[in-house]
Structure formats: C-alpha cells, structure tokens
Amino acid sequence: MKRQKRDKGDRAYNKGYHAGLASRPKDSCPHSKAEVKQRWMNGWSEGRNDSWSALNGVSGLCNISKHEFA
C-alpha cells in the first residue's frame, strides 16, 4: 500500500519540536524555504519551552505523543 505524501510543514514542525526538546541549537534548522523554516522554528520554540518546563520525563509523555510522526 502506498503512503500519501506527508505535509512538509507538519513534518518540519515535528522535527523542530524534537530538536528543541533535545536542546539542539536553532541554527541546526535544515530548511531554506521561509515557510517550512518558520514551521520548524515554531516547533523548536515549543520543544525548548517544554524542555525548560521539565516536560521531558514521564510527565511529558502525553505532550510528546502529540508530536510523534510515523
């Protein structure tokens, strides 16, 4: 069965979220298109906020599951 194309914006947001949660710098954004880069940065920002709020342990599992991708 073929997979449908994933939305690049959603994928960029999820990747950015996980990068922020892992405390990687925002300079590590791999995108050059402004629209996709902004989505990655939004995800990165939310991931950093969750990391600073100590949501990277058991208490953050439900929040992280929102950002999982297949």
Side-chain angles (χ1 to χ4, degrees):
M1 182 160 79
K2 292 184 179 180
R3 287 187 180 187
Q4 289 182 333
K5 276 192 164 181
R6 296 181 189 153
D7 180 23
K8 289 186 181 190
D10 287 341
R11 186 167 165 83
Y13 179 86
N14 289 331
K15 291 280 193 174
Y17 179 83
H18 286 281
L21 200 60
S23 299
R24 289 201 313 245
K26 63 181 173 183
D27 297 342
S28 65
C29 178
H31 301 286
S32 58
K33 285 187 175 180
E35 183 179 308
V36 180
K37 186 172 185 166
Q38 185 60 43
R39 293 287 301 268
W40 190 93
M41 294 297 282
N42 289 342
W44 180 87
S45 178
E46 188 170 330
R48 287 301 294 150
N49 287 337
D50 288 352
S51 177
W52 289 330
S53 299
L55 293 179
N56 52 6
V58 174
S59 63
L61 287 177
C62 63
N63 199 17
I64 292 172
S65 66
K66 291 190 308 187
H67 301 285
E68 289 298 319
F69 47 92

